[in-house]
């Protein structure tokens, strides 16, 4: 490293050198570090404005980090897809004997028939929602899954005649399944199988726990020893070490805000509100003043963008928002 | 932290600044973003080795700098060729004056008012997009002099343009 031990002094000459494209990498780092102080930034901006004014059409726009990330992610995914297609034999062989439940259910399942589905289409595609991004996948029957950050599923190009089968490997997904009662939709997970004919529901899968929550229609959850039918407003929890299925009514519909972009808050502290928002969008919320997190919010948002929801909250509670890349910074008086 | 998460973090913390730095050299943000993205993609190919790098930030800035220099070397060759053709026609070797047509009179006047050598050097750097070393060679001056003059020009412009640029 060239400048080891010698701190680089940022002066007018270095700023001029930087602006005219002559700064070496260490100097650029020094400038960027120096710019993190707002006082320095103001000083720099005055010179930068003069520099830009001398050639207005060369004033740089801001870099677009979100677009850049999806472009890189796209390239990554196509690389991964190639790997998967190479190893699709693995899926074929591992797949042939996988079970699929096939019964028409009146109300509760009393008996189950497991059949061999060796006609199943190989699961050729792997979709992985990258860490920072929610991703939508459309299947051949026009069913949709919205994968939350970090989720992954495997699915075929075209579904089989008898069953629509996919595999969920990890993470969380919100499914909107096209109705077709002659051709059940089955999701295999390491913990339990989920079978539906046409509904909307959320699946959250971790290492040792699966939670299925039904937003619309009806869903059946199956383990080797138990099965349960879920109606709207209910969720089922299955733990890998226990074979039983626990069913309960859910209250936290904000959990799948990443898919619906809709939220209901009833007298909820902003701290919790921001947590829900950060989970659902690729944004971070910083507060300048911890007291802001105490303010309580009662509001319903339906299909809103992150920008919209943050600005509505700020307006309601008389706060100021600034946005920088994927960070919102909130300032204001807050609540005791 | 796995490789992917690490990469994401590195990307998030440096992408914008690297683009801004690249912009100062290539003077085009589309170009700058292209350069930084290809650098990151290249980096991904050797993701594991990146974790071995001691100072990732320094590594990234150096990589971007190299990419940019390669790019402008290519552009410079092309420009040199074009300039020679222009100079063949106009016998104005010493003090070329090529303001972009977009410049408002007030700004043009402010630049014209710069002291002689300072003005020439600023014009060569800003509008002819010559590197400091190229200007130094052409005018028989040291790079240090060029640096001083550009910095001086910038300070004068900041003062003179302060009224005009309020609207920016």
């Amino acid at each position: 490293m060239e400048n080891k031990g010698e701190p680089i002094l940022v002066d007018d000459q270095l700023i001029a050198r930087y602006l005219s494209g002559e700064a070496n990498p260490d100097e650029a780092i020094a400038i960027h570090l120096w710019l993190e102080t707002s006082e320095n930034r103001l000083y720099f901006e005055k010179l930068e404005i003069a520099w830009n004014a001398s050639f207005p059409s060369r004033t740089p726009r801001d870099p677009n980090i979100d677009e850049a990330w999806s472009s890189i992610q796209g390239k990554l995914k196509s690389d991964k897809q190639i790997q998967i297609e190479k190893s699709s034999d693995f899926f074929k062989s591992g797949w042939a004997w996988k079970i699929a439940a096939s019964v028409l259910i009146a109300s509760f399942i009393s008996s189950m028939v497991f059949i061999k589905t060796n006609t199943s289409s190989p699961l050729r595609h792997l979709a992985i929602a990258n860490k920072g991004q929610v991703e939508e996948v459309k299947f051949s029957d026009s069913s949709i899954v919205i994968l939350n950050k970090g989720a992954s599923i495997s699915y075929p190009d075209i579904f089989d005649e008898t069953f629509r089968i996919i595999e969920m490997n990890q993470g969380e997904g919100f499914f909107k399944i096209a109705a077709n009662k002659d051709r059940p939709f089955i999701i295999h997970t390491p913990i339990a199988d989920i079978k539906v004919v046409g509904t909307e529901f959320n699946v959250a899968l971790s290492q040792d726990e699966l939670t299925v929550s039904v937003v619309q229609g009806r869903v059946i959850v199956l383990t080797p020893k138990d099965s349960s039918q879920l109606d709207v407003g209910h969720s089922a929890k299955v733990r890998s070490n226990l074979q039983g299925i626990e069913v309960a009514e859910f209250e936290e519909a904000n959990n799948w805000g990443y898919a619906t972009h809709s939220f209901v808050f009833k007298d909820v502290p902003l701290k919790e509100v921001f947590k829900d928002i950060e989970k659902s969008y690729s944004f971070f919320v910083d507060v300048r003043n911890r007291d802001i997190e105490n303010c309580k919010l009662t509001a319903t948002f339906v299909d809103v963008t992150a920008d919209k929801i943050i600005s509505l909250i700020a307006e309601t509670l008389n706060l100021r928002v600034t946005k920088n890349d994927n960070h919102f910074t909130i300032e204001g008086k807050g609540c005791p | 932290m796995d490789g992917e998460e690490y990469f994401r973090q590195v990307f998030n913390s440096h992408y914008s600044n690297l683009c801004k730095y690249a912009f100062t050299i290539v003077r085009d943000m589309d170009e700058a973003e292209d350069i930084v993205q290809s650098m990151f993609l290249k980096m991904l190919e050797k993701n594991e080795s990146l974790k071995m790098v001691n100072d990732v930030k320094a590594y990234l800035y150096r990589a971007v700098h190299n990419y940019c220099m390669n790019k402008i070397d290519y552009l410079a060759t092309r420009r040199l060729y074009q300039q020679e053709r222009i100079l063949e026609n106009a016998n104005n070797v010493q003090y070329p004056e090529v303001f972009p047509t977009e410049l408002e009179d007030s700004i043009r006047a402010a630049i014209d008012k710069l002291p002689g050598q300072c003005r020439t050097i600023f014009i060569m750097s800003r509008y002819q997009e010559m590197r400091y070393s190229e200007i130094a060679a052409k005018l028989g001056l040291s790079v240090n002099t060029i640096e001083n003059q550009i910095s001086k020009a910038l300070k004068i412009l900041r003062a003179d343009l302060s009224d005009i640029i309020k609207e920016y």
Side-chain angles (χ1 to χ4, degrees):
Chain A
M1 240 162 280
E2 293 108 285
N3 285 281
K4 210 169 190 175
E6 277 173 54
I8 296 170
L9 176 72
V10 177
D11 55 11
D12 287 348
Q13 206 164 321
L14 177 54
I15 293 173
R17 200 151 69 229
Y18 174 82
L19 287 171
S20 44
E22 298 278 343
N24 70 34
D26 292 320
E27 289 169 336
I29 290 173
I31 288 244
H32 288 160
L33 214 59
W34 178 83
L35 281 174
E36 282 173 13
T37 311
S38 60
E39 196 183 321
N40 294 343
R41 206 159 46 234
L42 279 176
Y43 184 85
F44 175 86
E45 274 166 9
K46 282 191 188 137
L47 285 168
E48 191 188 29
I49 286 169
W51 175 256
N52 287 336
S54 71
F55 205 158
S57 64
R58 289 284 164 89
T59 304
R61 59 171 174 79
D62 282 336
N64 192 336
I65 191 169
D66 292 335
E67 222 166 74
W69 180 252
S70 14
S71 149
I72 284 183
Q73 196 193 3
K75 286 181 182 133
L76 272 183
K77 203 164 55 183
S78 57
D79 285 353
K80 276 198 182 119
Q81 210 120 312
I82 291 162
Q83 282 171 19
I84 287 306
E85 279 169 18
K86 274 189 199 146
S87 62
S88 68
D89 283 346
F90 161 78
F91 282 109
K92 268 183 205 154
S93 58
W95 197 240
W97 286 94
K98 286 240 168 176
I99 50 160
S102 81
V103 259
L104 284 173
I105 292 132
S107 58
F108 276 86
I109 308 170
S110 50
S111 66
M112 285 190 302
V113 183
F114 292 99
I115 60 159
K116 185 176 134 185
T117 56
N118 55 2
T119 52
S120 286
S121 316
L123 305 183
R124 285 167 54 88
H125 292 289
L126 177 71
I128 298 173
N130 234 297
K131 292 270 150 53
Q133 206 98 23
V134 170
E135 191 162 325
E136 184 175 301
V137 177
K138 197 167 186 181
F139 302 118
S140 62
D141 67 338
S142 77
S143 293
I144 288 171
V145 59
I146 296 155
L147 296 176
N148 203 356
K149 306 159 200 173
S152 93
I153 57 166
S154 308
Y155 61 98
D157 282 331
I158 297 171
F159 286 122
D160 189 84
E161 299 275 298
T162 39
F163 297 105
R164 297 173 282 173
I165 298 176
I166 71 156
E167 197 165 36
M168 184 156 179
N169 314 308
Q170 61 172 339
E172 189 172 11
F174 188 88
F175 291 83
K176 296 178 185 174
I177 302 303
N180 184 348
K181 65 175 168 25
D182 299 328
R183 219 169 149 206
F185 195 104
I186 294 165
I187 304 165
H188 289 297
T189 80
I191 295 175
D193 292 345
I194 301 158
K195 182 180 159 181
V196 303
V197 290
T199 62
E200 285 186 15
F201 56 99
N202 192 66
V203 176
L205 176 65
S206 70
Q207 197 90 47
D208 46 22
E209 197 174 282
L210 170 76
T211 308
V212 183
S213 310
V214 183
V215 178
Q216 213 179 83
R218 188 173 282 179
V219 173
I220 295 151
V221 179
L222 308 154
T223 70
K225 290 204 177 138
D226 196 2
S227 69
S228 204
Q229 178 177 290
L230 294 176
D231 288 318
V232 177
H234 288 77
S235 65
K237 194 170 277 190
V238 190
R239 292 195 181 82
S240 58
N241 51 349
L242 301 164
Q243 299 285 1
I245 300 171
E246 289 168 30
V247 177
E249 280 182 49
F250 63 76
E251 41 321 75
E252 268 295 317
N254 293 347
N255 275 342
W256 40 92
Y258 71 91
T260 59
H261 292 167
S262 301
F263 303 86
V264 179
F265 299 108
K266 282 187 188 135
D267 212 24
V268 181
L270 282 192
K271 192 175 175 154
E272 305 298 317
V273 172
F274 292 151
K275 219 183 271 172
D276 280 344
I277 293 172
E278 284 177 341
K279 181 185 169 239
S280 305
Y281 301 97
S282 304
F283 286 97
F284 298 98
V285 183
D286 300 323
V287 290
R288 274 286 153 79
N289 169 1
R290 287 275 154 220
D291 285 350
I292 293 172
E293 293 183 333
N294 300 332
C295 296
K296 288 190 175 164
L297 182 74
T298 298
T300 302
F301 302 99
V302 179
D303 201 12
V304 286
T305 60
D307 293 65
K308 184 89 190 176
I309 198 166
I310 295 283
S311 65
L312 283 172
I313 291 172
E315 221 170 276
T316 315
L317 297 169
N318 202 17
L319 302 163
R320 284 182 311 282
V321 187
T322 46
K323 187 180 167 191
N324 200 344
D325 291 335
N326 56 346
H327 278 263
F328 289 103
T329 304
I330 303 192
E331 292 169 275
K333 225 175 114 219
C335 309
Chain B
M1 196 184 304
D2 64 21
E4 209 172 299
E5 200 176 323
Y6 178 76
F7 176 78
R8 172 90 220 222
Q9 216 172 68
V10 170
F11 181 88
N12 273 347
S13 17
H14 300 299
Y15 181 79
S16 292
N17 273 344
L18 288 169
C19 290
K20 286 176 189 164
Y21 177 42
F23 172 85
T24 65
I25 304 172
V26 299
R27 303 192 179 185
D28 179 291
M29 191 49 94
D30 290 343
E31 192 75 60
E33 288 208 80
D34 275 354
I35 285 172
V36 176
Q37 283 175 32
S38 9
M39 193 268 309
F40 270 114
L41 278 169
K42 195 92 194 183
M43 219 182 83
L44 266 178
E45 287 171 14
K46 34 187 184 179
N47 198 358
E48 281 317 303
S49 60
L50 187 77
K51 278 189 163 181
M52 316 271 278
V53 175
N54 220 342
D55 186 344
V56 175
K57 197 188 200 177
Y59 172 89
L60 294 173
Y61 276 75
R62 269 203 295 275
V64 164
H65 187 252
N66 285 341
Y67 272 77
C68 290
M69 293 317 275
N70 286 339
K71 187 80 202 174
I72 60 166
D73 274 353
Y74 160 74
L75 293 176
T77 319
R78 205 178 57 185
R79 199 176 58 227
L80 204 67
Y81 172 71
Q82 283 170 345
Q83 239 164 37
E84 270 164 13
R85 288 187 42 202
I86 294 169
L87 294 177
E88 272 168 23
N89 300 331
N91 262 337
N92 198 356
V93 187
Q94 202 65 338
Y95 302 109
E97 293 180 33
V98 266
F99 288 115
T101 47
E102 61 173 290
L103 270 204
E104 279 173 39
D105 289 344
S106 52
I107 293 170
R108 193 186 292 242
I111 294 163
D112 257 335
K113 247 174 43 200
L114 293 171
Q117 198 183 45
C118 180
R119 173 173 167 277
T120 309
I121 292 171
F122 184 80
I123 288 171
M124 287 170 116
S125 164
R126 190 67 173 125
Y127 304 121
Q128 300 198 301
E129 306 195 336
M130 293 166 74
R131 310 286 303 163
Y132 282 8
S133 55
E134 292 174 294
I135 302 174
K138 191 147 203 164
L139 299 180
L141 298 166
S142 72
V143 170
N144 202 20
T145 308
I146 309 301
E147 285 185 8
N148 284 330
Q149 295 298 333
I150 299 277
S151 149
K152 183 171 152 193
L154 196 53
K155 273 191 278 190
I156 295 174
L157 289 179
R158 178 185 54 189
D160 285 2
L161 296 178
S162 62
D163 292 330
I164 307 166
I165 61 188
K166 279 215 178 84
E167 61 204 66
Y168 280 83

